[in-house]
Amino acid sequence: MNLEKLFWSKTKVDILKYLLFRRQGVSMRALESELERTFPAIKKQVDSLEESGVIDINKENAGFSITLSPDHYTLFRNFFLSALKEECTQLFSTYEVMIDKFFRGKKFWAPLEMDLVIIYQHMEKEQIEALKQQIAEVFRGYFLENISLVFMSKEDWEKRYRLADRFVLQVMRSL
């Protein structure tokens, strides 16, 4: 899903991602420095989002405080999480010969302590490290810096499943 095409602006998409996944109650100047965009570009998109009723701007005190409208928060979070899921699935499809299956966790609102559990077959350490780096880049695009990943070989997964390992059973229950 190409969010920039859908919302007609990379800056607008980045503002929404920032408000959803990094923090609320931010000023336009903070967005300018965090997103590395010009103030006029930020202001134009913030005004557009305010006119559409997607964000609220608290103009009290000394500065602006931009927050995502509570009425739309869950809708946009689910929408952007869907886009993140799709990006992860596309990334994993490039490794489809090596990745047996994967499970999404707490960042995707699933009842699992990890963010991603990846069951692989025939992956070398260098390939795992490269995949970790690519996963981190995808998540950074959504302003999610800290992610918890578990890589487990298919043989290890099956062995732990047969032994009714607590972690494996927790992953299976989270489906």
PDB file of all heavy atoms in Angstrom, residues 4-30:
ATOM      1  N   GLU A   4       1.775   7.376   0.583  1.00  0.00           N
ATOM      2  CA  GLU A   4       2.037   8.712   0.033  1.00  0.00           C
ATOM      3  C   GLU A   4       1.085   9.026  -1.116  1.00  0.00           C
ATOM      4  O   GLU A   4       0.614  10.147  -1.249  1.00  0.00           O
ATOM      5  CB  GLU A   4       3.491   8.840  -0.434  1.00  0.00           C
ATOM      6  CG  GLU A   4       4.488   8.924   0.704  1.00  0.00           C
ATOM      7  CD  GLU A   4       4.913   7.559   1.220  1.00  0.00           C
ATOM      8  OE1 GLU A   4       4.729   6.546   0.503  1.00  0.00           O
ATOM      9  OE2 GLU A   4       5.413   7.495   2.352  1.00  0.00           O
ATOM     10  N   LYS A   5       0.808   8.041  -1.950  1.00  0.00           N
ATOM     11  CA  LYS A   5      -0.136   8.241  -3.059  1.00  0.00           C
ATOM     12  C   LYS A   5      -1.555   8.418  -2.524  1.00  0.00           C
ATOM     13  O   LYS A   5      -2.313   9.241  -3.023  1.00  0.00           O
ATOM     14  CB  LYS A   5      -0.101   7.059  -4.034  1.00  0.00           C
ATOM     15  CG  LYS A   5       1.188   6.922  -4.782  1.00  0.00           C
ATOM     16  CD  LYS A   5       1.290   7.957  -5.856  1.00  0.00           C
ATOM     17  CE  LYS A   5       2.546   7.700  -6.677  1.00  0.00           C
ATOM     18  NZ  LYS A   5       2.803   8.739  -7.629  1.00  0.00           N
ATOM     19  N   LEU A   6      -1.898   7.635  -1.517  1.00  0.00           N
ATOM     20  CA  LEU A   6      -3.239   7.706  -0.952  1.00  0.00           C
ATOM     21  C   LEU A   6      -3.507   9.066  -0.311  1.00  0.00           C
ATOM     22  O   LEU A   6      -4.557   9.660  -0.523  1.00  0.00           O
ATOM     23  CB  LEU A   6      -3.439   6.597   0.082  1.00  0.00           C
ATOM     24  CG  LEU A   6      -4.781   6.560   0.784  1.00  0.00           C
ATOM     25  CD1 LEU A   6      -5.899   6.259  -0.217  1.00  0.00           C
ATOM     26  CD2 LEU A   6      -4.768   5.523   1.886  1.00  0.00           C
ATOM     27  N   PHE A   7      -2.557   9.561   0.473  1.00  0.00           N
ATOM     28  CA  PHE A   7      -2.742  10.836   1.170  1.00  0.00           C
ATOM     29  C   PHE A   7      -2.173  12.028   0.404  1.00  0.00           C
ATOM     30  O   PHE A   7      -2.220  13.135   0.885  1.00  0.00           O
ATOM     31  CB  PHE A   7      -2.111  10.762   2.571  1.00  0.00           C
ATOM     32  CG  PHE A   7      -2.881   9.898   3.518  1.00  0.00           C
ATOM     33  CD1 PHE A   7      -2.485   8.600   3.773  1.00  0.00           C
ATOM     34  CD2 PHE A   7      -4.005  10.385   4.150  1.00  0.00           C
ATOM     35  CE1 PHE A   7      -3.195   7.801   4.644  1.00  0.00           C
ATOM     36  CE2 PHE A   7      -4.720   9.600   5.035  1.00  0.00           C
ATOM     37  CZ  PHE A   7      -4.318   8.296   5.274  1.00  0.00           C
ATOM     38  N   TRP A   8      -1.606  11.795  -0.739  1.00  0.00           N
ATOM     39  CA  TRP A   8      -1.090  12.810  -1.651  1.00  0.00           C
ATOM     40  C   TRP A   8       0.087  13.605  -1.099  1.00  0.00           C
ATOM     41  O   TRP A   8       0.433  14.644  -1.614  1.00  0.00           O
ATOM     42  CB  TRP A   8      -2.189  13.787  -2.070  1.00  0.00           C
ATOM     43  CG  TRP A   8      -3.279  13.185  -2.866  1.00  0.00           C
ATOM     44  CD1 TRP A   8      -3.941  12.023  -2.602  1.00  0.00           C
ATOM     45  CD2 TRP A   8      -3.847  13.676  -4.068  1.00  0.00           C
ATOM     46  NE1 TRP A   8      -4.883  11.777  -3.551  1.00  0.00           N
ATOM     47  CE2 TRP A   8      -4.855  12.785  -4.464  1.00  0.00           C
ATOM     48  CE3 TRP A   8      -3.605  14.795  -4.837  1.00  0.00           C
ATOM     49  CZ2 TRP A   8      -5.606  12.974  -5.596  1.00  0.00           C
ATOM     50  CZ3 TRP A   8      -4.365  14.986  -5.968  1.00  0.00           C
ATOM     51  CH2 TRP A   8      -5.356  14.082  -6.344  1.00  0.00           C
ATOM     52  N   SER A   9       0.695  13.109  -0.026  1.00  0.00           N
ATOM     53  CA  SER A   9       1.803  13.857   0.550  1.00  0.00           C
ATOM     54  C   SER A   9       2.624  12.969   1.482  1.00  0.00           C
ATOM     55  O   SER A   9       2.070  12.378   2.418  1.00  0.00           O
ATOM     56  CB  SER A   9       1.261  15.053   1.334  1.00  0.00           C
ATOM     57  OG  SER A   9       2.253  15.605   2.155  1.00  0.00           O
ATOM     58  N   LYS A  10       3.912  12.910   1.248  1.00  0.00           N
ATOM     59  CA  LYS A  10       4.800  12.170   2.137  1.00  0.00           C
ATOM     60  C   LYS A  10       4.878  12.864   3.488  1.00  0.00           C
ATOM     61  O   LYS A  10       4.904  12.200   4.527  1.00  0.00           O
ATOM     62  CB  LYS A  10       6.189  12.042   1.523  1.00  0.00           C
ATOM     63  CG  LYS A  10       7.144  11.230   2.391  1.00  0.00           C
ATOM     64  CD  LYS A  10       8.375  10.825   1.647  1.00  0.00           C
ATOM     65  CE  LYS A  10       9.396  10.121   2.470  1.00  0.00           C
ATOM     66  NZ  LYS A  10       8.961   9.291   3.538  1.00  0.00           N
ATOM     67  N   THR A  11       4.855  14.176   3.492  1.00  0.00           N
ATOM     68  CA  THR A  11       4.904  14.928   4.745  1.00  0.00           C
ATOM     69  C   THR A  11       3.671  14.640   5.594  1.00  0.00           C
ATOM     70  O   THR A  11       3.777  14.413   6.807  1.00  0.00           O
ATOM     71  CB  THR A  11       5.027  16.445   4.465  1.00  0.00           C
ATOM     72  OG1 THR A  11       6.191  16.678   3.671  1.00  0.00           O
ATOM     73  CG2 THR A  11       5.114  17.240   5.744  1.00  0.00           C
ATOM     74  N   LYS A  12       2.503  14.605   4.971  1.00  0.00           N
ATOM     75  CA  LYS A  12       1.266  14.327   5.706  1.00  0.00           C
ATOM     76  C   LYS A  12       1.311  12.920   6.305  1.00  0.00           C
ATOM     77  O   LYS A  12       0.940  12.710   7.460  1.00  0.00           O
ATOM     78  CB  LYS A  12       0.053  14.470   4.783  1.00  0.00           C
ATOM     79  CG  LYS A  12      -1.286  14.386   5.484  1.00  0.00           C
ATOM     80  CD  LYS A  12      -2.440  14.509   4.514  1.00  0.00           C
ATOM     81  CE  LYS A  12      -2.493  15.880   3.893  1.00  0.00           C
ATOM     82  NZ  LYS A  12      -3.635  16.058   2.989  1.00  0.00           N
ATOM     83  N   VAL A  13       1.779  11.965   5.536  1.00  0.00           N
ATOM     84  CA  VAL A  13       1.884  10.589   6.017  1.00  0.00           C
ATOM     85  C   VAL A  13       2.864  10.515   7.187  1.00  0.00           C
ATOM     86  O   VAL A  13       2.593   9.868   8.199  1.00  0.00           O
ATOM     87  CB  VAL A  13       2.304   9.635   4.878  1.00  0.00           C
ATOM     88  CG1 VAL A  13       2.675   8.265   5.405  1.00  0.00           C
ATOM     89  CG2 VAL A  13       1.187   9.531   3.853  1.00  0.00           C
ATOM     90  N   ASP A  14       3.992  11.201   7.075  1.00  0.00           N
ATOM     91  CA  ASP A  14       4.982  11.189   8.154  1.00  0.00           C
ATOM     92  C   ASP A  14       4.434  11.849   9.422  1.00  0.00           C
ATOM     93  O   ASP A  14       4.723  11.392  10.530  1.00  0.00           O
ATOM     94  CB  ASP A  14       6.279  11.859   7.715  1.00  0.00           C
ATOM     95  CG  ASP A  14       7.108  10.980   6.804  1.00  0.00           C
ATOM     96  OD1 ASP A  14       6.812   9.765   6.701  1.00  0.00           O
ATOM     97  OD2 ASP A  14       8.051  11.499   6.172  1.00  0.00           O
ATOM     98  N   ILE A  15       3.656  12.902   9.281  1.00  0.00           N
ATOM     99  CA  ILE A  15       3.037  13.550  10.446  1.00  0.00           C
ATOM    100  C   ILE A  15       2.095  12.569  11.140  1.00  0.00           C
ATOM    101  O   ILE A  15       2.132  12.413  12.365  1.00  0.00           O
ATOM    102  CB  ILE A  15       2.284  14.842  10.039  1.00  0.00           C
ATOM    103  CG1 ILE A  15       3.282  15.918   9.616  1.00  0.00           C
ATOM    104  CG2 ILE A  15       1.400  15.344  11.181  1.00  0.00           C
ATOM    105  CD1 ILE A  15       2.640  17.132   8.946  1.00  0.00           C
ATOM    106  N   LEU A  16       1.281  11.886  10.360  1.00  0.00           N
ATOM    107  CA  LEU A  16       0.350  10.916  10.940  1.00  0.00           C
ATOM    108  C   LEU A  16       1.093   9.761  11.602  1.00  0.00           C
ATOM    109  O   LEU A  16       0.744   9.334  12.712  1.00  0.00           O
ATOM    110  CB  LEU A  16      -0.615  10.399   9.870  1.00  0.00           C
ATOM    111  CG  LEU A  16      -1.653  11.412   9.384  1.00  0.00           C
ATOM    112  CD1 LEU A  16      -2.392  10.874   8.164  1.00  0.00           C
ATOM    113  CD2 LEU A  16      -2.623  11.775  10.491  1.00  0.00           C
ATOM    114  N   LYS A  17       2.129   9.248  10.957  1.00  0.00           N
ATOM    115  CA  LYS A  17       2.925   8.171  11.547  1.00  0.00           C
ATOM    116  C   LYS A  17       3.553   8.626  12.861  1.00  0.00           C
ATOM    117  O   LYS A  17       3.556   7.900  13.848  1.00  0.00           O
ATOM    118  CB  LYS A  17       4.036   7.724  10.585  1.00  0.00           C
ATOM    119  CG  LYS A  17       3.580   6.890   9.420  1.00  0.00           C
ATOM    120  CD  LYS A  17       4.769   6.555   8.535  1.00  0.00           C
ATOM    121  CE  LYS A  17       4.399   5.786   7.305  1.00  0.00           C
ATOM    122  NZ  LYS A  17       5.567   5.545   6.433  1.00  0.00           N
ATOM    123  N   TYR A  18       4.075   9.847  12.855  1.00  0.00           N
ATOM    124  CA  TYR A  18       4.712  10.387  14.056  1.00  0.00           C
ATOM    125  C   TYR A  18       3.710  10.480  15.205  1.00  0.00           C
ATOM    126  O   TYR A  18       3.993  10.067  16.333  1.00  0.00           O
ATOM    127  CB  TYR A  18       5.314  11.760  13.753  1.00  0.00           C
ATOM    128  CG  TYR A  18       6.169  12.292  14.865  1.00  0.00           C
ATOM    129  CD1 TYR A  18       7.522  11.997  14.919  1.00  0.00           C
ATOM    130  CD2 TYR A  18       5.633  13.088  15.877  1.00  0.00           C
ATOM    131  CE1 TYR A  18       8.320  12.474  15.946  1.00  0.00           C
ATOM    132  CE2 TYR A  18       6.422  13.560  16.905  1.00  0.00           C
ATOM    133  CZ  TYR A  18       7.765  13.253  16.932  1.00  0.00           C
ATOM    134  OH  TYR A  18       8.547  13.714  17.954  1.00  0.00           O
ATOM    135  N   LEU A  19       2.523  10.998  14.910  1.00  0.00           N
ATOM    136  CA  LEU A  19       1.501  11.147  15.948  1.00  0.00           C
ATOM    137  C   LEU A  19       0.975   9.794  16.422  1.00  0.00           C
ATOM    138  O   LEU A  19       0.616   9.634  17.590  1.00  0.00           O
ATOM    139  CB  LEU A  19       0.341  12.006  15.441  1.00  0.00           C
ATOM    140  CG  LEU A  19       0.661  13.477  15.178  1.00  0.00           C
ATOM    141  CD1 LEU A  19      -0.513  14.169  14.504  1.00  0.00           C
ATOM    142  CD2 LEU A  19       1.056  14.195  16.455  1.00  0.00           C
ATOM    143  N   LEU A  20       0.931   8.821  15.544  1.00  0.00           N
ATOM    144  CA  LEU A  20       0.435   7.500  15.910  1.00  0.00           C
ATOM    145  C   LEU A  20       1.449   6.686  16.701  1.00  0.00           C
ATOM    146  O   LEU A  20       1.098   6.031  17.682  1.00  0.00           O
ATOM    147  CB  LEU A  20       0.043   6.712  14.653  1.00  0.00           C
ATOM    148  CG  LEU A  20      -1.250   7.117  13.982  1.00  0.00           C
ATOM    149  CD1 LEU A  20      -1.335   6.514  12.586  1.00  0.00           C
ATOM    150  CD2 LEU A  20      -2.440   6.691  14.834  1.00  0.00           C
ATOM    151  N   PHE A  21       2.695   6.705  16.263  1.00  0.00           N
ATOM    152  CA  PHE A  21       3.666   5.763  16.801  1.00  0.00           C
ATOM    153  C   PHE A  21       4.770   6.384  17.650  1.00  0.00           C
ATOM    154  O   PHE A  21       5.449   5.660  18.370  1.00  0.00           O
ATOM    155  CB  PHE A  21       4.303   4.960  15.658  1.00  0.00           C
ATOM    156  CG  PHE A  21       3.291   4.175  14.871  1.00  0.00           C
ATOM    157  CD1 PHE A  21       3.014   4.498  13.555  1.00  0.00           C
ATOM    158  CD2 PHE A  21       2.604   3.122  15.450  1.00  0.00           C
ATOM    159  CE1 PHE A  21       2.077   3.775  12.820  1.00  0.00           C
ATOM    160  CE2 PHE A  21       1.673   2.389  14.734  1.00  0.00           C
ATOM    161  CZ  PHE A  21       1.402   2.720  13.421  1.00  0.00           C
ATOM    162  N   ARG A  22       4.991   7.672  17.573  1.00  0.00           N
ATOM    163  CA  ARG A  22       6.061   8.276  18.373  1.00  0.00           C
ATOM    164  C   ARG A  22       5.470   8.996  19.578  1.00  0.00           C
ATOM    165  O   ARG A  22       5.637   8.590  20.696  1.00  0.00           O
ATOM    166  CB  ARG A  22       6.877   9.225  17.502  1.00  0.00           C
ATOM    167  CG  ARG A  22       7.993   9.995  18.179  1.00  0.00           C
ATOM    168  CD  ARG A  22       9.180   9.199  18.709  1.00  0.00           C
ATOM    169  NE  ARG A  22       9.948   8.477  17.761  1.00  0.00           N
ATOM    170  CZ  ARG A  22      10.997   8.921  17.080  1.00  0.00           C
ATOM    171  NH1 ARG A  22      11.406  10.149  17.228  1.00  0.00           N
ATOM    172  NH2 ARG A  22      11.643   8.139  16.247  1.00  0.00           N
ATOM    173  N   ARG A  23       4.790  10.124  19.344  1.00  0.00           N
ATOM    174  CA  ARG A  23       4.186  10.834  20.470  1.00  0.00           C
ATOM    175  C   ARG A  23       3.151  11.842  19.990  1.00  0.00           C
ATOM    176  O   ARG A  23       3.175  12.300  18.858  1.00  0.00           O
ATOM    177  CB  ARG A  23       5.235  11.505  21.330  1.00  0.00           C
ATOM    178  CG  ARG A  23       5.843  12.749  20.733  1.00  0.00           C
ATOM    179  CD  ARG A  23       6.874  13.367  21.657  1.00  0.00           C
ATOM    180  NE  ARG A  23       7.611  14.355  20.897  1.00  0.00           N
ATOM    181  CZ  ARG A  23       7.876  15.561  21.321  1.00  0.00           C
ATOM    182  NH1 ARG A  23       7.526  15.927  22.515  1.00  0.00           N
ATOM    183  NH2 ARG A  23       8.537  16.405  20.560  1.00  0.00           N
ATOM    184  N   GLN A  24       2.254  12.155  20.905  1.00  0.00           N
ATOM    185  CA  GLN A  24       1.208  13.144  20.673  1.00  0.00           C
ATOM    186  C   GLN A  24       1.608  14.438  21.387  1.00  0.00           C
ATOM    187  O   GLN A  24       2.540  14.462  22.176  1.00  0.00           O
ATOM    188  CB  GLN A  24      -0.117  12.635  21.258  1.00  0.00           C
ATOM    189  CG  GLN A  24      -0.613  11.354  20.668  1.00  0.00           C
ATOM    190  CD  GLN A  24      -1.652  11.593  19.602  1.00  0.00           C
ATOM    191  OE1 GLN A  24      -2.228  12.671  19.490  1.00  0.00           O
ATOM    192  NE2 GLN A  24      -1.889  10.590  18.805  1.00  0.00           N
ATOM    193  N   GLY A  25       0.864  15.500  21.129  1.00  0.00           N
ATOM    194  CA  GLY A  25       1.105  16.758  21.831  1.00  0.00           C
ATOM    195  C   GLY A  25       2.382  17.441  21.413  1.00  0.00           C
ATOM    196  O   GLY A  25       3.075  18.053  22.211  1.00  0.00           O
ATOM    197  N   VAL A  26       2.695  17.356  20.156  1.00  0.00           N
ATOM    198  CA  VAL A  26       3.947  17.887  19.623  1.00  0.00           C
ATOM    199  C   VAL A  26       3.678  19.222  18.932  1.00  0.00           C
ATOM    200  O   VAL A  26       2.568  19.487  18.467  1.00  0.00           O
ATOM    201  CB  VAL A  26       4.581  16.848  18.662  1.00  0.00           C
ATOM    202  CG1 VAL A  26       3.735  16.651  17.438  1.00  0.00           C
ATOM    203  CG2 VAL A  26       5.986  17.210  18.292  1.00  0.00           C
ATOM    204  N   SER A  27       4.682  20.070  18.878  1.00  0.00           N
ATOM    205  CA  SER A  27       4.548  21.361  18.195  1.00  0.00           C
ATOM    206  C   SER A  27       4.981  21.228  16.732  1.00  0.00           C
ATOM    207  O   SER A  27       5.621  20.249  16.343  1.00  0.00           O
ATOM    208  CB  SER A  27       5.416  22.413  18.879  1.00  0.00           C
ATOM    209  OG  SER A  27       6.793  22.130  18.665  1.00  0.00           O
ATOM    210  N   MET A  28       4.653  22.249  15.944  1.00  0.00           N
ATOM    211  CA  MET A  28       5.072  22.238  14.530  1.00  0.00           C
ATOM    212  C   MET A  28       6.585  22.330  14.417  1.00  0.00           C
ATOM    213  O   MET A  28       7.175  21.707  13.531  1.00  0.00           O
ATOM    214  CB  MET A  28       4.394  23.369  13.765  1.00  0.00           C
ATOM    215  CG  MET A  28       2.970  23.042  13.395  1.00  0.00           C
ATOM    216  SD  MET A  28       2.308  24.135  12.159  1.00  0.00           S
ATOM    217  CE  MET A  28       1.242  25.127  13.174  1.00  0.00           C
ATOM    218  N   ARG A  29       7.211  23.073  15.310  1.00  0.00           N
ATOM    219  CA  ARG A  29       8.689  23.176  15.285  1.00  0.00           C
ATOM    220  C   ARG A  29       9.333  21.828  15.598  1.00  0.00           C
ATOM    221  O   ARG A  29      10.338  21.454  14.993  1.00  0.00           O
ATOM    222  CB  ARG A  29       9.184  24.240  16.269  1.00  0.00           C
ATOM    223  CG  ARG A  29       8.837  25.648  15.862  1.00  0.00           C
ATOM    224  CD  ARG A  29       9.632  26.084  14.661  1.00  0.00           C
ATOM    225  NE  ARG A  29       9.253  27.446  14.288  1.00  0.00           N
ATOM    226  CZ  ARG A  29       9.554  28.005  13.148  1.00  0.00           C
ATOM    227  NH1 ARG A  29      10.243  27.335  12.245  1.00  0.00           N
ATOM    228  NH2 ARG A  29       9.167  29.227  12.872  1.00  0.00           N
ATOM    229  N   ALA A  30       8.754  21.101  16.532  1.00  0.00           N
ATOM    230  CA  ALA A  30       9.286  19.766  16.849  1.00  0.00           C
ATOM    231  C   ALA A  30       9.122  18.835  15.648  1.00  0.00           C
ATOM    232  O   ALA A  30      10.030  18.070  15.322  1.00  0.00           O
ATOM    233  CB  ALA A  30       8.586  19.191  18.074  1.00  0.00           C
TER     234      ALA A  30
END
